[in-house]
């Protein structure tokens, strides 16, 4: 009788309908989120397996060089001052670098997938001083 009341029944039925719709939408959102999370976990798991099997090795020295250059932007304050050359998986780093950033860069590049060896030919500086490459100038 509560929902069939001639005065307030219509409003009560509409409220009930709205609550059921909201519940259905919340359940659908939850299922979509759970599905996305499961897909993400599966993607991560397959990436880990591929990495363990060595299936995601860089296709070329060019690709490996681009990966190293991408790391430069995260590790050093003047990435344009560092030259990267790659041949047969061996990475040669040249140019100018600050002393405080050198070890972190060498360690990160050494541990990258596909890098066989790192040759350090960089000029190490304690401060930017009179080195244009370390002051924002174009590398020579």
């Amino acid at each position: 009788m509560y929902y069939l009341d001639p005065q307030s029944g219509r409003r009560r039925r509409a409220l009930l309908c709205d609550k059921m719709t909201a519940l259905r939408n919340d359940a659908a959102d939850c299922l979509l989120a759970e599905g996305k999370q499961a897909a993400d976990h599966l993607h991560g798991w397959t990436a880990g397996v591929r990495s363990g099997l060595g299936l995601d090795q860089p296709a070329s020295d060019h690709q490996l060089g681009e990966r190293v250059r991408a790391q430069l932007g995260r590790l050093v304050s003047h990435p344009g001052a560092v030259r990267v050359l790659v041949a047969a998986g061996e990475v040669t780093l040249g140019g100018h670098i600050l002393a405080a950033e050198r070890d972190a860069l060498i360690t990160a590049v050494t541990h990258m997938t596909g890098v066989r060896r790192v040759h350090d030919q960089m000029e190490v500086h304690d401060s930017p001083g009179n080195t244009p490459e370390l002051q924002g100038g174009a590398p020579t």
Side-chain angles (χ1 to χ4, degrees):
M1 292 303 274
Y2 185 73
Y3 293 106
L4 301 176
D5 180 26
Q7 289 183 338
S8 298
R10 183 178 213 172
R11 183 181 64 80
R12 291 177 183 143
R13 288 189 302 272
L15 271 171
L16 179 64
C17 184
D18 288 346
K19 286 183 180 184
M20 296 304 264
T21 301
L23 183 63
R24 183 191 69 210
N25 290 340
D26 289 345
D29 289 346
C30 181
L31 288 174
L32 286 174
E34 291 293 325
K36 184 180 180 328
Q37 184 180 13
D40 289 344
H41 279 282
L42 181 61
H43 180 73
W45 181 80
T46 56
V49 169
R50 289 174 55 94
S51 176
L53 296 175
L55 298 176
D56 64 346
Q57 293 288 332
S60 66
D61 287 338
H62 175 74
Q63 185 178 7
L64 181 58
E66 292 301 316
R67 288 182 182 179
V68 171
R69 284 182 190 87
Q71 283 293 329
L72 283 176
R74 297 181 188 97
L75 297 171
V76 299
S77 57
H78 301 90
V82 179
R83 290 188 314 273
V84 177
L85 299 171
V86 181
E90 294 192 11
V91 178
T92 303
L93 299 173
H96 303 272
I97 191 165
L98 295 174
E101 300 171 340
R102 182 188 167 279
D103 291 336
L105 175 62
I106 298 295
T107 302
V109 172
T110 301
H111 290 98
M112 289 181 68
T113 302
V115 174
R116 294 182 185 169
R117 192 171 178 190
V118 177
H119 301 281
D120 179 12
Q121 297 178 353
M122 296 181 288
E123 291 183 39
V124 180
H125 303 275
D126 291 328
S127 65
N130 292 330
T131 309
E133 291 86 352
L134 298 178
Q135 296 176 350
T140 57

